[in-house]
Amino acid sequence: MGKKTLIIGGIAGGATTAARLRRRDESMEIIMFERGDYISYANCGLPYYIGNVIKSRDALLLQTPQAMKNKFNVDVRVANEVTKILPNEKKIRIKNLNSGETYEETYDQLVIATGSSPIKPPIPGIQADNIFTLWTVPDTDKIKSYIQEKQVKRAAVIGGGFIGLEMAENLHETGVQVSLIEMQDQVMAPMDKEMANLLHENMLKNQVDLILGDGVKEFHHENGMIKIELSSGKMVEADMVVLSIGVRPNSELAAEAGIQLNQRRGIEVNEYLQTSVKDIYAVGDVIGVEHYVTKEKTMIPLAGPANKQARILADNLCGDQKKYDGTLGTAVAKVFDLHAASVGLNEKQLKAMGKRKGIDYHTVLINQKSHTGYYPGAMPLTLKMLFDQEGKIFGGQMIGKNGVDKRMDTLATVMRLNGTIYDLEDLELAYAPPFSSAKDPVNMLGFVAENVLRGMAHFIEWDELDELLNDESKKEDVVVLDVTEDWEREAYFIPGSYHIPLGQLRKRMGELDPNKLIVPYCAIGVRSYNAARMLQQNGFGRIAILSGGTTFYKSMHYEQ
C-alpha cells in the first residue's frame, strides 16, 4: 500500500486533487471527506438552474460518490464532517452526520479544501426562512421550491457581486420583479465605476429596481412578506430575499490546528501549496494567493484557480516540485443582455497602490464592434486597459453583448506571459467578417495605448469633461468639437459643442481658437482621433479626445 492521503472537502479543489492523485499513483490510499451530501457539483451553474436556463438538476452533479469510487477508487465519505485536525499525531477527527458517531483517521498527507461560505452579517431579522443564500445544491433546491410553492412575485437581492447579478437575472427570467440593493455606488467591484455604469443602464432597461449606495439596516417580517429597511430610511418590500454579500474562507479547522492564516483569515501557503504545518497542504477558496501583477498576498475565490492549484498540488504530493505562481483574477459574468469581464487590477486599486508605492499608470477606453460592422449582428464592445509608461499591462475590463470572453481571454493570456501593449499590437488573431475585424479589438487596445505613450493621442474622460463644462471659470477655455455628420447631430450632440464634420475640418479649422483646449468627439472615437491628428499637425497644441465617444458618454448619463 502506498501513502495515505486525506482530503477535507469534496467540491472543486478537493475532487480535482483526488482525481489527479489517482491518475498519478494507483497505489495511494485516498479518502475524501465532505460534510454536505454532494461532491463535485457545478456551483457556478446553480443560478441558471433557478432561472430554468439549465433544465436538468442532474446536469449540475458532475460526480457522485459511487462514480468517484468506481472510476478513481477514492473512498468518498459524504455527510462526514471533519471536526479536528491533530497535526502532532498526524490524524483527524470526523463526525458521521447521519449516525452521529465520531471516529479518527491517520494520514501521511492532509489536504484542506474546505472552500468558503457566504457572509451572513448580524442584521436584525436576517434569520428567517424566506431569506436565502445560494452556495450549495440544497440552497438551490430550497430557493427553487420556495419560488414555486409561494408563487413569489417580488424578490430582493442584497449585493451586486457576480452571484448577486446572476441571481437577479435568473429571478427576472422566472417572471419575478427584482430589486437589487448594493451598499457601494456600483455593482461588480472588479469593474471601475464608468464600466459598471453600462451594467446599471442595462439593468434599468430590464426593469430591475436598482438601489446603489444604500445598505440594509433591518429586515421586518409581516404576514410572510419582508420589509427591508435601508440605511437611508427607504423601505423595500419583497416576498423573498437572496443574500450575496460576499464569502469568507472556511479556515476554522486550520486555525484550531495552529496553521498560519493571513489577515483575511485565509490559510497561508507557499508556492508549493504547503501550509505552515508539515505534511498539510491547502487549495481553493480557503487559501491566500499571490496576485500575479502586484506580487502581493490577496484572496481570489474563483473556480479556475482552484482547479489549477489542485492539479499542481496532486503532482507535488506525488513527489514533483511544481510551483503555483499566482492568480490574475480573470473573470466573466453574464448580466442580463451584457457580458462583463475583467482581469488584473482596476483603476481604484491602482490609485490606492499609487499612494502606497508611487505607481503611475495610463488608461485607454475604446469602443469597437464584436465583428466587422458590415456583417450582420455586430454589437458594440467597450474595452478599458490600464498600463504603465513601459507598456506593462496592469489590467483590463470589457463589456458587450458578444465577443467579450475571447477578447478578455486574449488579454489575460498576454498578461500571464508578461507581454506588453506592444505584444497586443503584434498578435495575429483569427479573422473573418462573422468573427472579428482585420484589426481585432485587442490589437486596437495596443494601437491606442502606443499612441498615448508616443504622445500622438491625449484623452479626456467623460467625468473630466463634465467637470470642465460645469466650471464657469474653466468652461471659457474649452471648445467641444463635434466632428460627426449633420444627420448624427440631429439625433444627439453635447450641449454647447461646436460642429464641423470631419470631412470639412481641413478647410474650416480657422474657425477654432488654437489657444484653447479642443475636445473633439464622434460616435465611438475613430473620427475624433483623426481630427486630433489633423489639428495637432496644424499648430493646435492642446487637444484631448473624448474617450469612448458619445456612445459611451450617453451611457454615463443613463439616469437622464
Side-chain angles (χ1 to χ4, degrees):
M1 201 60 164
K3 281 183 175 177
K4 182 177 178 183
T5 301
L6 305 184
I7 300 171
I8 309 173
I11 317 302
T16 301
T17 303
R20 176 72 174 174
L21 270 177
R22 179 56 73 223
R23 285 193 284 267
R24 286 293 309 264
D25 187 343
E26 190 59 31
S27 69
M28 185 181 282
E29 185 185 355
I30 305 168
I31 309 174
M32 189 165 78
F33 302 89
E34 170 54 51
R35 65 183 175 186
D37 292 323
Y38 301 89
I39 60 159
S40 192
Y41 57 82
N43 40 4
C44 298
L46 300 179
Y48 299 99
Y49 174 59
I50 288 168
N52 299 317
V53 178
I54 295 169
K55 307 288 183 200
S56 161
R57 182 180 181 279
D58 289 347
L60 299 168
L61 307 175
L62 308 177
Q63 284 285 4
T64 63
Q66 195 53 52
M68 198 91 181
K69 176 72 178 165
N70 296 342
K71 290 179 194 170
F72 298 103
N73 190 24
V74 171
D75 180 355
V76 178
R77 302 181 190 174
V78 291
N80 274 252
E81 181 170 14
V82 176
T83 57
K84 201 165 187 62
I85 299 169
L86 303 156
N88 295 337
E89 298 161 62
K90 291 194 82 169
K91 64 184 183 185
I92 62 171
R93 197 168 291 151
I94 309 107
K95 184 178 183 181
N96 182 319
L97 300 179
N98 293 330
S99 68
E101 69 154 321
T102 299
Y103 64 100
E104 292 181 344
E105 285 284 355
T106 58
Y107 64 83
D108 294 311
Q109 304 172 138
L110 178 66
V111 176
I112 302 172
T114 44
S116 56
S117 296
I119 292 167
K120 212 171 176 182
I123 299 167
I126 202 167
Q127 301 296 344
D129 62 2
N130 51 2
I131 297 180
F132 302 89
T133 55
L134 177 67
W135 205 242
T136 63
V137 174
D139 292 343
T140 315
D141 294 337
K142 275 187 212 160
I143 292 171
K144 203 166 171 79
S145 60
Y146 193 88
I147 292 168
Q148 287 162 353
E149 284 167 24
K150 304 288 184 185
Q151 295 187 310
V152 169
K153 301 279 188 295
R154 291 169 302 178
V157 176
I158 317 295
F162 284 89
I163 293 173
L165 292 173
E166 287 167 355
M167 272 309 300
E169 180 189 339
N170 281 286
L171 287 166
H172 181 267
E173 279 292 313
T174 66
V176 172
Q177 173 57 42
V178 178
S179 298
L180 188 132
I181 300 160
E182 167 56 56
M183 194 187 285
Q184 304 302 319
D185 64 353
Q186 65 166 88
V187 300
M188 193 76 89
M191 294 277 167
D192 285 314
K193 175 76 184 290
E194 73 271 24
M195 296 296 277
N197 275 342
L198 298 172
L199 302 178
H200 302 156
E201 178 185 38
N202 190 257
M203 290 167 79
L204 292 174
K205 279 183 184 169
N206 280 282
Q207 283 80 54
V208 172
D209 175 24
L210 182 61
I211 300 164
L212 299 171
D214 212 346
V216 177
K217 187 179 174 189
E218 189 168 349
F219 295 104
H220 303 276
H221 299 275
E222 291 176 20
N223 309 319
M225 192 187 72
I226 308 166
K227 283 191 172 175
I228 306 160
E229 184 185 346
L230 303 182
S231 306
S232 63
K234 183 174 177 168
M235 299 294 274
V236 177
E237 293 186 359
D239 302 316
M240 67 179 285
V241 166
V242 179
L243 300 172
S244 181
I245 300 168
V247 297
R248 56 170 180 74
N250 297 328
S251 57
E252 300 82 4
L253 269 178
E256 285 169 21
I259 293 167
Q260 203 167 328
L261 304 185
N262 64 22
Q263 285 178 321
R264 290 167 67 181
R265 307 291 296 163
I267 296 175
E268 286 207 350
V269 292
N270 66 10
E271 57 204 339
Y272 303 109
L273 300 161
Q274 296 165 314
T275 71
S276 60
V277 174
K278 191 177 186 304
D279 296 321
I280 301 181
Y281 303 78
V283 290
D285 287 9
V286 76
I287 69 169
V289 293
E290 183 178 273
H291 195 291
Y292 192 77
V293 179
T294 65
K295 305 304 177 194
E296 293 180 346
K297 295 289 184 186
T298 185
M299 302 288 291
I300 302 179
L302 290 169
N307 278 279
K308 289 172 193 63
Q309 292 156 13
R311 181 184 167 89
I312 289 168
L313 174 56
D315 286 350
N316 289 346
L317 292 173
C318 294
D320 290 0
Q321 287 279 293
K322 281 188 169 180
K323 293 179 180 180
Y324 181 72
D325 63 354
T327 307
L328 267 174
T330 316
V332 66
K334 183 180 180 300
V335 186
F336 292 88
D337 308 310
L338 297 173
H339 302 164
S342 61
V343 67
L345 299 173
N346 59 34
E347 206 169 343
K348 291 176 295 222
Q349 291 167 316
L350 279 170
K351 279 177 179 165
M353 280 183 70
K355 285 174 185 166
R356 291 202 325 271
K357 294 183 168 183
I359 287 177
D360 204 7
Y361 66 93
H362 298 278
T363 71
V364 291
L365 187 146
I366 61 173
N367 255 316
Q368 295 288 296
K369 288 275 197 293
S370 53
H371 57 251
T372 46
Y374 59 78
Y375 185 90
M379 292 292 179
L381 199 56
T382 305
L383 305 93
K384 177 176 181 177
M385 183 173 67
L386 306 140
F387 55 100
D388 71 8
Q389 194 61 33
E390 276 66 56
K392 174 186 161 77
I393 304 165
F394 291 130
Q397 300 156 47
M398 301 179 190
I399 292 179
K401 288 194 178 182
N402 56 40
V404 169
D405 53 339
K406 70 173 181 177
R407 270 58 186 236
M408 183 48 71
D409 288 345
T410 307
L411 184 63
T413 303
V414 170
M415 287 179 67
R416 189 84 207 181
L417 299 174
N418 299 314
T420 65
I421 62 118
Y422 302 106
D423 295 299
L424 295 182
E425 296 180 290
D426 292 342
L427 288 178
E428 190 178 329
L429 301 166
Y431 161 61
F435 305 105
S436 184
S437 301
K439 291 184 285 192
D440 188 87
V442 175
N443 295 136
M444 291 301 294
L445 275 177
F447 297 149
V448 177
E450 190 207 347
N451 285 340
V452 167
L453 292 182
R454 292 183 65 176
M456 289 174 64
H458 299 276
F459 289 91
I460 186 168
E461 303 308 317
W462 70 277
D463 52 345
E464 294 171 332
L465 178 61
D466 281 358
E467 210 175 294
L468 283 179
L469 296 180
N470 292 328
D471 186 329
E472 291 300 326
S473 63
K474 292 177 182 173
K475 193 173 167 182
E476 295 304 310
D477 188 41
V478 182
V479 176
V480 180
L481 178 63
D482 179 350
V483 297
T484 65
E485 298 303 316
D486 293 340
W487 61 269
E488 289 174 277
R489 188 167 172 86
E490 282 173 23
Y492 177 81
F493 64 89
I494 294 174
S497 57
Y498 191 78
H499 183 221
I500 306 177
L502 181 64
Q504 299 174 27
L505 184 58
R506 269 191 189 83
K507 293 176 183 170
R508 294 178 56 189
M509 60 176 71
E511 296 171 28
L512 302 171
D513 184 343
N515 297 311
K516 289 189 175 183
L517 172 66
I518 313 286
V519 180
Y521 76 79
C522 60
I524 63 169
V526 176
R527 286 171 293 174
S528 45
Y529 168 61
N530 285 319
R533 292 301 303 141
M534 199 188 298
L535 291 167
Q536 207 169 341
Q537 293 175 81
N538 278 278
F540 289 81
R542 298 170 61 210
I543 302 156
I545 303 156
L546 178 62
S547 264
T550 53
T551 310
F552 190 73
Y553 187 81
K554 282 189 283 187
S555 289
M556 295 304 100
H557 299 86
Y558 66 91
E559 288 164 318
Q560 295 154 31

